Amino acid sequence: MTMKILVTDDVSPKGVELLKSQGFEVDVTPNLSEEEFIKVIPPYDAFIMRSLTKVTAAGMDAGKKLKALGRAGAGVDHIDIKAATERGIVVCNTPDSNTMAATEHTCAMLLATTRHIPQAHNSLMSGEWNRKKYTGVQLQNKTLGIIGVGRIGSRVAKRMQAFEMRTIGYDPYISKERARQLGVELVDLDTLLKESDFITLHTPLTQETRGMIGPNEFAKMKEGVRVVNVARGPVLDVEALAENIKSGHVADAAVDVFPNEPVTLDNNPFLGLDRIIITPHMGANTEEAQLAVSIDAAQGVIDALNGQPVATAVNMAPIPKAVYEKIEPYFGLVERMGILGTYIADGALKEITVEYNGELVDTETEMLTTTAVKGVLSPILQETVNFVNARNIATARDIEVKEVKSQGNKPVANAVTLTLKTEKNSHTIVGTLFNGNEAKIIQIDDYRMDFTPEGYLLLAPHNNRPNMIGQISTILGEAGINITGMQVGKTTDTDTNIMAVAVQADISNDIMIKLRAIEGILEVKLINCEAGH
């Protein structure tokens, strides 16, 4: 019997043609509400969508024949990935298909800021002829600071180098060797802010990057700097940018993404400003990109329906049932260990080693190792990291991945040990399952621990002295932050302990500053243990 695929009408026809050429029966419908999806999905084996149709567990239960969901685009927030995985439905997206579109839009915005092109156009169309007012600047011999030297940032660097620009970059997650290959000089963030004539943002939205360019960062920038953001809206404080444009500290800026979208007359901080270019989140909107996401989504669905590996799957690839049943309880543990390791590690990552002890020694653990790699990479990369592409992304970034089976001495019988080596140091995390399913971290470096890695977690190494717990608890309590758990780990090698404090919600930067100011506190890191989910 011919398999049937449902496609929404804003997916390029080329993707539909590809599906039909492979022998599938294809129906094209308008974008569906969740209720409409539930009504029409029962006869279909796959569904390809953009971003308007929400696919929930209820929709998947209605579509009992569903084997694949294809997203023509990168974001999958509107798809219940967990429900799809539980039901054996492959979910694939197209994370790289619009890379060039976003790259070129960044370059276009940057160039427009140098010559005031939209403003000059509008002036001329209104009957003015004012050449002097729109005198610009040249790119040659200027310094471009690139925050996030990933798939888009690296391409922007290449293109701006053709304009004879010096390119410097801040990205703690790439090696110096990789940066040299790209022609980018790696610097710390403060240096980038102080030396750059132009600054472009290319970071994912994480706990670390949210609001990373705000009033303090603008104060460190050169007088007359130009700023471009085509990455994620909340990374840049647009109110602070507007104030710095008004003062003249920022000469020009270009923004495509905003903390709150859509932007209207009621929430646009740039109204009345002439030294700003804004576009409505259109960085990925080119004919070529829309064509590419359509074809790539169709190919992913074709592979899934044919039982082939899907390079852009965002959920788990099929593995033998017996193996899956044995390793399944460990997936959450090892991914969260990877997330923890990323927050703890300093410097460019060089090596990820996952060591298995006890019952996992004689089991196929490659998927668990991939899960750990996914946990390490997901919080720090702009591109989607999944169970299929995690190893390739690590390889592309010169990160060596090792898997070790050992019967050596461990604190518990069945343990997983994750070791991350960077250019600066090495960190080790040991985890296990209590009662066969409860994830626990039992060691971080030399500290013996016992905590559950979930939600928001404060890690605070500190000198072993009285009232350390009390001071942290008081600051959090006065800020209205609920503590849901606390545990202190000890080490016999030094006179230091480490606190693991589970909190109910995110913690603002001003509270973090107060915590770090406590005498005897060596460091405080806020970790979102769900960052990879």
Side-chain angles (χ1 to χ4, degrees):
M1 182 180 293
T2 302
M3 290 187 182
K4 298 183 67 175
I5 301 173
L6 181 63
V7 180
T8 58
D9 65 348
D10 57 356
V11 172
S12 169
K14 292 296 184 181
V16 175
E17 293 174 12
L18 176 60
L19 294 168
K20 289 181 177 179
S21 73
Q22 298 297 307
F24 296 102
E25 182 180 337
V26 183
D27 291 327
V28 180
T29 71
N31 285 299
L32 303 168
S33 68
E34 182 180 351
E35 293 75 18
E36 291 169 335
F37 176 81
I38 290 173
K39 288 180 181 178
V40 304
I41 200 61
Y44 293 97
D45 297 275
F47 176 52
I48 297 178
M49 74 209 85
R50 292 300 302 276
S51 59
L52 295 181
T53 303
K54 187 174 183 180
V55 184
T56 63
M60 296 177 208
D61 288 338
K64 295 188 182 298
K65 295 179 65 179
L66 276 176
K67 303 174 186 67
L69 295 170
R71 163 71 165 103
V76 291
D77 293 345
H78 56 300
I79 304 171
D80 189 332
I81 303 297
K82 183 175 183 294
T85 302
E86 291 172 347
R87 289 158 179 76
I89 299 171
V90 175
V91 180
C92 58
N93 65 349
T94 58
D96 296 321
S97 304
N98 54 22
T99 294
M100 195 55 64
T103 298
E104 292 184 355
H105 193 63
T106 301
C107 296
M109 296 281 266
L110 191 153
L111 286 164
T113 66
T114 69
R115 305 304 293 267
H116 316 298
I117 293 172
Q119 298 93 329
H121 167 84
N122 292 334
S123 172
L124 193 58
M125 293 296 285
S126 68
E128 297 178 353
W129 182 267
N130 197 335
R131 297 174 64 196
K132 186 176 181 180
K133 180 179 179 181
Y134 299 109
T135 300
V137 296
Q138 295 180 183
L139 296 176
Q140 185 184 40
N141 299 325
K142 300 295 195 307
T143 296
L144 171 64
I146 302 169
I147 301 177
V149 194
R151 58 191 176 91
I152 296 174
S154 61
R155 287 171 170 83
V156 169
K158 180 179 180 181
R159 282 149 184 79
M160 291 301 101
Q161 287 160 8
F163 285 86
E164 300 179 43
M165 295 191 81
R166 172 196 178 208
T167 51
I168 62 176
Y170 168 70
D171 190 329
Y173 306 109
I174 72 166
S175 65
K176 292 180 180 179
E177 291 84 355
R178 175 59 177 160
R180 277 195 291 268
Q181 292 170 3
L182 298 170
V184 176
E185 176 189 347
L186 279 185
V187 297
D188 59 39
L189 183 58
D190 280 358
T191 300
L192 183 145
L193 297 173
K194 293 173 184 176
E195 295 188 5
S196 297
D197 301 295
F198 294 80
I199 295 175
T200 62
L201 305 176
H202 305 285
T203 66
L205 179 60
T206 68
Q207 172 64 30
E208 297 287 328
T209 64
R210 183 181 294 274
M212 73 179 295
I213 302 300
N216 292 335
E217 287 70 33
F218 280 112
K220 297 175 183 177
M221 294 180 191
K222 277 185 178 182
E223 190 78 17
V225 69
R226 289 168 170 82
V227 179
V228 177
N229 186 21
V230 187
R232 296 293 185 268
V235 170
L236 174 68
D237 186 333
V238 290
E239 300 289 345
L241 174 60
E243 290 302 316
N244 278 271
I245 293 173
K246 291 175 184 176
S247 71
H249 185 66
V250 172
D252 293 276
V255 176
D256 180 58
V257 289
F258 302 84
N260 299 299
E261 297 179 353
V263 173
T264 67
L265 292 176
D266 296 325
N267 67 350
N268 186 345
F270 303 117
L271 291 178
L273 299 182
D274 189 46
R275 312 287 287 197
I276 179 77
I277 301 165
I278 55 175
T279 52
H281 202 151
M282 53 185 273
N285 287 4
T286 64
E287 293 178 3
E288 293 85 353
Q290 299 312 304
L291 174 63
V293 297
S294 171
I295 292 176
D296 289 350
Q299 187 60 58
V301 166
I302 292 169
D303 290 341
L305 293 181
N306 288 331
Q308 300 296 316
V310 181
T312 57
V314 298
N315 57 351
M316 194 181 310
I319 56 176
K321 183 178 180 181
V323 174
Y324 179 83
E325 290 176 348
K326 190 165 186 177
I327 68 174
E328 191 273 336
Y330 288 87
F331 280 118
L333 169 67
V334 297
E335 182 162 10
R336 286 169 171 79
M337 288 172 64
I339 294 168
L340 283 168
T342 293
Y343 280 87
I344 294 170
D346 298 314
L349 189 60
K350 302 297 292 182
E351 184 180 295
I352 301 172
T353 301
V354 188
E355 179 182 348
Y356 300 98
N357 186 65
E359 67 174 356
L360 294 174
V361 169
D362 298 321
T363 303
E364 173 55 57
T365 52
E366 181 178 355
M367 185 59 71
L368 283 180
T369 300
T370 299
T371 304
V373 175
K374 177 180 181 292
V376 171
L377 298 179
S378 289
I380 60 176
L381 297 183
Q382 188 170 0
E383 59 261 55
T384 300
V385 183
N386 58 52
F387 293 95
V388 176
N389 69 9
R391 295 291 192 100
N392 290 336
I393 291 174
T395 299
R397 289 177 168 259
D398 296 324
I399 301 170
E400 185 177 5
V401 178
K402 296 181 179 180
E403 181 175 306
V404 178
K405 301 291 182 69
S406 172
Q407 293 289 1
N409 293 328
K410 295 294 175 184
V412 296
N414 300 310
V416 180
T417 302
L418 173 70
T419 302
L420 300 184
K421 291 184 180 179
T422 72
E423 291 180 334
K424 295 181 179 180
N425 50 35
S426 175
H427 291 280
T428 297
I429 299 172
V430 182
T432 190
L433 298 179
F434 283 6
N435 301 319
N437 58 18
E438 185 180 359
K440 290 285 188 180
I441 301 300
I442 58 175
Q443 186 172 329
I444 296 178
D445 294 331
D446 294 326
Y447 297 102
R448 293 297 177 92
M449 308 292 296
D450 180 7
F451 68 87
T452 301
E454 61 184 17
Y456 287 98
L457 183 74
L458 282 171
L459 279 184
H462 58 277
N463 294 329
N464 186 13
R465 61 173 67 173
N467 198 32
M468 300 305 296
I469 294 175
Q471 292 183 79
I472 285 185
S473 300
T474 298
I475 291 173
L476 294 177
E478 289 176 350
I481 297 168
N482 188 37
I483 296 175
T484 58
M486 180 180 290
Q487 204 263 338
V488 177
K490 300 180 179 180
T491 176
T492 57
D493 295 334
T494 61
D495 193 28
T496 59
N497 293 339
I498 188 170
M499 252 183 283
V501 184
V503 293
Q504 205 164 36
D506 197 359
I507 298 177
S508 62
N509 190 54
D510 60 324
I511 302 303
M512 293 294 292
I513 292 173
K514 290 181 180 180
L515 294 173
R516 293 188 177 109
I518 296 173
E519 185 176 354
I521 290 290
L522 305 179
E523 177 60 284
V524 180
K525 292 194 176 185
L526 178 64
I527 299 169
N528 178 5
C529 294
E530 313 300 327
H533 296 262

